[in-house]
Amino acid sequence: MPRKKDTDDINIEMDADDSDSDDGGNNKRTNNRRQGAGRGGARGRGRGKKPASEEEDEDDEDESPRGRRGANKKKPVKKRGGRNVKDDDDSEDEAPKKGRKGAANKKKGGKAQDSDDDDSDAGKGKKGKRGGKKGGKDEESKGKKGDAKGKDKGKDNDNEKKKKKKKDDSSDSDSNTNSEEEESMSEGEMARLMEEVEEKKKLIATIRNKPWRMKRRLVHLKEAQEFVDKFEGALGKGKGRKWYAYKVMMKKKWIKFSRDFENFRTACIPWERKIKEVESHFGSSVASYFIFLRWMYGMNLVLFGFTFGLVVIPEVLMGLPYGSIPRKTVPRADQDTAQDYSVLMDFQGYCKYSIMFYGYYNNQRTIGLLKFRLPLSYLMVGIGTFGYSLMVVIRTMAKNADVGGGDGDEGEFTFAWKMFTSWDYLIGNSETADNKYASITTSFKESIVDEQENQKDENIHLRRFLRVLANLMILCSLGGSGYLIYFVVKRSQEFANRDDLSWYEKNELELIMSLLGLVCPPLFETIAELEDYHPRIALKWQLGRIFALFLGNLYTFLFALFDEVNTKLEEEGAIRNASLWAMKEYYANYTLFLNDSNLTPPPMPPADVIRGPCWETAVGIEFVKLTVSDIQVSYLTILIGDFARAVIVRFLNYCWCWDLEAGFPSYGEFDISGNVLGLVFNQGMIWMGAFYAPGLVGINVLRLLSSMYYQCWAVMATNVPHERVFKASKSNNFYMGLLLLILFLSLLPVVYTIMTLPPSFDCGPFSGKPKMFDVIMETIDLDLPAFLGTLFSYAANPGLIIPAVLLMVLAIYYLNSVSEAYQNANMELKKKMQMARDEEKNRRNNTDSTNQVMKDLEDLLPKGSLMAPPEPEKPPEPESRLTKTKPGSAGKGVNLEKDVALASPNPNARGPVNRSPGPRGAGPGQGPGRGQGPGPGRGQGPGRGPGPGRGQGPGRGQVPGRGQVPGGPGRGRGRGPPPR
Amino acid sequence: MGNKQTTFTDEQLEAFQDCTFFTRKEILRLHGRYRELAPHLVPLDFTNRPDIRVPPTLIVSMPELKENPFRDRIVETFSEDGLGNMSFNDFVDMFSAFCETSPRELKTIYAFKIYDFNRDSFICKEDLQKTLTKLTKGDLSPEEVSLVCDKSLEEADLDGDHKLSFSDFENMVSKAPDFLSNFHIRI
């Protein structure tokens, strides 16, 4: 055994030596090591309980700072065999620097080591310990290590225990004592070594994060690596290592994967570049419209997926084919014209009897092999559309509000961020770069406008009067348009009973409505000029007003539609009776003639069957027509209003008597409010109509998709940026709010019809049921276990519903008050932060104008009279404060400065004082800028060109405490006499 | 991989990988790009660490940099001599700092150096003005420039010395939402 141990020792020693020699040049590292050793020693001493251990600790300590020869001599005698001594000596000889001394130490001092070990364990936690143990094992290698290991584990804090164990050990085998001692020693050492290795490893891992030159990095890296290589070998490579390495690898892979995934996800967001391009030309407000459009597109895609996946496609695949039953067949009377273009464009004929509309769907409870419950699915999708939209809109609003929450913080650095973080270093294409330049300039201008808006203050009474006036006028015009619509609707009801109508009389309602839509928005805009709001706020007002106008139109339309539905319902009742009557007659005849009570349906081709008007399909057709005409109108408006105008302005300008581009028609601006509202209302149509015309969702997806490209093109090709470029408000919540309102408003009529009106008796998935929602009841009754049915009936009990509603109201109230409390807390915190910031500022430059009170106090000081003249000039001169101020030396500095300033236009006491003496060729150049300060002695600039650097030196020397005070006087003064 | 040309020894590659955020392949590609800039100057064989510097005019002409308004500053900042002559080490260093994986702290340090035009360890108003002129290609009027600079200083200058020290800068940039995504050059 002893032999084995020896070889181990020697190995280690050699390692140590090697590393020493490596370290040779590296002071830092040796220092570290020395420190480590010292620390360990000290700790050991503090803790050591046994005299023996104490002694050793002492040795340790002595050794580390000192030469350690004497200690060596002492120790080996005490504890070790001769061989060890020799080893130690060797090591010392070889390593006079004693960087590695620690290692040698360890080997020697058994007890000190234990305490060390404990320390390191406590400090470093399990890992270090494990490593140490493992290392120990490795080193001692082979033979009886198992024993030692077991002991290690038990050992830990208690020296006493240790002793005992040692005894056991020795009883086991003679030679064990020695080796065990050896082991423990090396273990502590190992721990320390481990620590260092870890440190080095950390350095290796993070070296790339150090802002060093590559050369330096390479050098450090090499050193660290060599060190690690040396000792890592000694520190074993057990299973744990592998596991650790594996973990590290997996972690890296995971990070990489998640990053890739993130990249992929962002790459999947469509039209990013298009929108960026628009943004760079037209500013963020126009871009916000396109972002909103994209968002709508995403939401509609999901709705489209639901509708087509769960309703349309199952019906197509598994339902009865066209022509099999009356509701899926064009009636005989219409068949001749069913394929005419004009009929199809009105969504009659084949269009009417297609999967696009409600009436086509059959009321079979289940269809196909899969027993797909189409009617149930239809209802669920109809309701789910609203549910999903509500959820998405509200979630987006909440998220935006979240972003908005950070707004206060954001306000802090608008300009600085723009300055330092707006350039995208990725740009490598000159065109993109130009765009980026444009967009950055634009955004700066936006911010400047905002800033100026903040600073503006003028005749507030006039402004208020004008605003009130404007609102009055707009209210009047809104009321007028409302009355006009009402009047027209009344008239159209009169017309409905007559047949001899002219074209105008037939289309009066639509005409008036679109005329209103065309005339009112520009009118509002003109009136809004009076108000003179910031464009962003003006946009909101404008949006709100047009919204009110459109809403009036929409609801007028809805009421007209309801009238129609009611007449259809009456008509349907009549037809139903008639058809029932016919059926009865048929059966009566049937049984009469054939004496057969088997009821076979009449052998009538489906095209000939009498059918009701199917009001649901009629409503669906109305909505589809409205949507399509809306698409046409908006596309034509763009084509004529923007494109044709742009072409005319562009090319007729050469032969016109005034400048078309700058003068009257000029190019169009992108109408944000109109487009946003168009989009919002269109979406409202979709929501209302989707239940009665499932195909509408598909049309809408196509529309959004095409308008994305079309409008992007149009805006880039034909529009000019707004005169006052302005930034979109940070969160699009205003748009979202409008959307939510519309969603709610369109939810109402649909839910009303679902809940109250009886479905048509011969078309649609709910035919034959008294109410549409009876499908759900049916499903509950037939498909779910009985107890669930009773459960539902309990749940539907008002006794339960009313408390639930109450509970919700209370919850809303509670959450509301909580959020208010949070808001208050937030405000409080913000205020505190602001105060802290101000305080910080004041503290650092307490002489500066930030703190008025302090300044006043200063003015009252005995020497205040002297200070007076320059003082007032300071505040309005922000540039003059470039000086670096030193806290604390204020008063004196001021005086000194003043003296110099007033007494002598000393050429040496020039401005540059306040600058750090940087290496700058720009010295003379920057002078003028700084020099504008209206200091007391202002000669004037030009002469100062030559060598400010020179002037600087003496100036600073002479007036010691000077930098701290407002550079104003100093600088101003400086520019007078040219230094030479 | 027919020709087994040794541009770097394995050790060198390892070292570069440890010191930068690049993989072995990327480093070789970087070398390719570096060599492309001055084929007559840069040898293929880097095993004996030749001391070669490529003048800034060539570096700046790289497509990654040529549109960047701060290209000259970038090159100067990363070159060891401060004039823009870049050794391969500097070159790798530059793209390592700009690469996607490098941490915010490192990027902040280099960004500060880049924007500090006069190298006085402070970003003062002149630096801001230069930055702004470069960013907007001089499209803003002098009053606007001055307003913007004052505003930026006011916002970011915490200690009231009217120039931005590194800590001011760091504080400001650490809150910026798109600093990381923008301060990034893909090679």
Side-chain angles (χ1 to χ4, degrees), chain A residues 538-548 672-674 676-677 734-735 738:
Chain A
L539 175 67
K540 281 190 181 177
W541 276 97
Q542 176 77 355
L543 278 171
R545 285 162 185 166
I546 303 177
F547 188 77
I672 304 171
S673 56
V676 166
L677 282 179
F734 190 72
Y735 298 165
L738 290 183

Side-chain angles (χ1 to χ4, degrees), chain A residues 505-517:
Chain A
E505 280 168 332
K506 260 195 235 166
N507 294 296
E508 193 182 43
L509 182 60
E510 284 80 6
L511 271 180
I512 294 288
M513 275 169 71
S514 31
L515 261 184
L516 278 178

Side-chain angles (χ1 to χ4, degrees), chain A residues 804-837:
Chain A
V805 168
L806 270 180
L807 203 68
M808 278 202 279
V809 170
L810 285 180
I812 289 171
Y813 174 75
Y814 171 75
L815 288 178
N816 201 26
S817 47
V818 165
S819 84
E820 237 161 60
Y822 279 139
Q823 242 165 20
N824 284 341
N826 229 343
M827 292 297 290
E828 205 65 23
L829 282 177
K830 259 182 204 161
K831 230 190 274 170
K832 266 186 194 154
M833 270 170 61
Q834 187 60 36
M835 265 164 63
R837 218 178 128 184

Side-chain angles (χ1 to χ4, degrees), chain A residues 208-209 213 217 225 412-417 420-421 423 425 430 437 451 837 844 881-882 926, chain B residues 17-21 67-69 78 93 101 115 126 135 137 151 155 157 159 162 172 175 182:
Chain A
R208 58 188 71 166
N209 294 349
R213 295 271 175 223
R217 264 190 239 170
Q225 268 175 343
E412 229 180 309
F413 296 121
T414 18
F415 284 100
W417 280 351
F420 294 117
T421 68
W423 182 260
Y425 282 63
S430 66
Y437 284 123
E451 195 59 39
R837 218 178 128 184
R844 301 239 191 161
R881 305 189 302 199
L882 276 169
Q926 94 212 27
Chain B
Q17 281 179 64
D18 277 326
C19 287
T20 66
F21 299 93
E67 294 300 339
N68 196 314
F78 283 96
D93 209 10
T101 30
Y115 293 123
E126 289 164 56
L135 261 184
K137 279 195 168 168
K151 277 282 155 197
E155 285 164 4
D157 179 23
D159 49 14
H162 303 292
M172 183 262 295
K175 291 179 191 160
N182 278 346

Side-chain angles (χ1 to χ4, degrees), chain A residues 204-215 217-218 221-222 225 259 263 409-431 433-434 436-438 440-441 444-445 448 451-452 455 833 837 840-841 844-845 848 878-885 914-916 918-920 922 925-926, chain B residues 15-21 63-64 66-70 74 77-80 89 92-93 98 100-101 103 106 109-110 114-115 118-120 122-126 128 131-132 134-137 139-140 144 147-149 151-152 154-164 169 171-172 175-179 181-186:
Chain A
I204 292 175
T206 59
I207 198 160
R208 58 188 71 166
N209 294 349
K210 298 250 186 316
W212 295 342
R213 295 271 175 223
M214 189 60 78
K215 229 188 226 165
R217 264 190 239 170
L218 287 172
L221 176 77
K222 209 172 158 206
Q225 268 175 343
R259 192 184 301 129
N263 285 342
D409 202 21
E410 231 165 72
E412 229 180 309
F413 296 121
T414 18
F415 284 100
W417 280 351
K418 280 212 176 79
M419 183 93 81
F420 294 117
T421 68
S422 61
W423 182 260
D424 188 347
Y425 282 63
L426 271 174
I427 290 176
N429 166 343
S430 66
E431 207 172 313
D434 283 345
K436 192 68 187 173
Y437 284 123
I440 289 176
T441 313
F444 270 119
K445 282 189 174 151
I448 291 172
E451 195 59 39
Q452 283 164 347
Q455 288 165 352
M833 270 170 61
R837 218 178 128 184
E840 177 89 341
K841 270 191 182 172
R844 301 239 191 161
N845 52 329
D848 222 296
E879 307 122 289
S880 70
R881 305 189 302 199
L882 276 169
T883 10
K884 178 155 193 177
T885 52
N914 32 39
R915 291 238 144 215
S916 64
R920 99 196 22 155
Q926 94 212 27
Chain B
F16 273 130
Q17 281 179 64
D18 277 326
C19 287
T20 66
F21 299 93
E64 281 81 6
K66 77 172 191 296
E67 294 300 339
N68 196 314
F70 307 109
I74 295 173
T77 305
F78 283 96
S79 64
E80 208 160 352
N89 281 348
V92 173
D93 209 10
F98 275 115
E100 198 184 1
T101 30
L106 190 67
I109 290 168
Y110 282 116
I114 287 171
Y115 293 123
N118 52 17
R119 301 181 206 182
D120 59 355
F122 287 102
I123 294 182
C124 52
K125 200 175 168 187
E126 289 164 56
L128 287 177
T131 312
L132 191 57
K134 281 186 188 291
L135 261 184
T136 58
K137 279 195 168 168
D139 273 355
L140 295 180
E144 285 172 326
L147 176 78
V148 170
C149 292
K151 277 282 155 197
S152 322
E154 197 178 288
E155 285 164 4
D157 179 23
L158 288 184
D159 49 14
D161 56 3
H162 303 292
K163 47 191 179 183
L164 305 183
F169 185 79
N171 174 45
M172 183 262 295
K175 291 179 191 160
D178 38 12
F179 172 67
S181 57
N182 278 346
F183 201 75
H184 167 202
I185 293 179
R186 198 172 286 135

Side-chain angles (χ1 to χ4, degrees), chain A residues 640-694:
Chain A
I640 295 169
D642 285 328
F643 184 67
R645 177 171 160 188
V647 168
I648 289 173
V649 168
R650 179 83 175 74
F651 292 103
L652 246 58
N653 202 24
Y654 299 115
C655 48
W656 204 259
C657 31
W658 69 81
D659 187 1
L660 285 175
E661 284 184 351
F664 162 57
S666 106
Y667 296 106
E669 284 180 358
F670 185 77
D671 177 16
I672 304 171
S673 56
N675 277 300
V676 166
L677 282 179
L679 208 56
V680 167
F681 274 87
N682 171 62
Q683 191 60 40
M685 295 287 165
I686 304 305
W687 275 322
M688 278 194 266
F691 186 74
Y692 300 113

Side-chain angles (χ1 to χ4, degrees), chain A residues 443-460:
Chain A
S443 77
F444 270 119
K445 282 189 174 151
E446 282 172 358
S447 301
I448 291 172
V449 169
D450 284 1
E451 195 59 39
Q452 283 164 347
E453 208 68 26
N454 288 343
Q455 288 165 352
K456 204 159 59 177
D457 63 334
E458 56 319 76
N459 190 343
I460 194 114

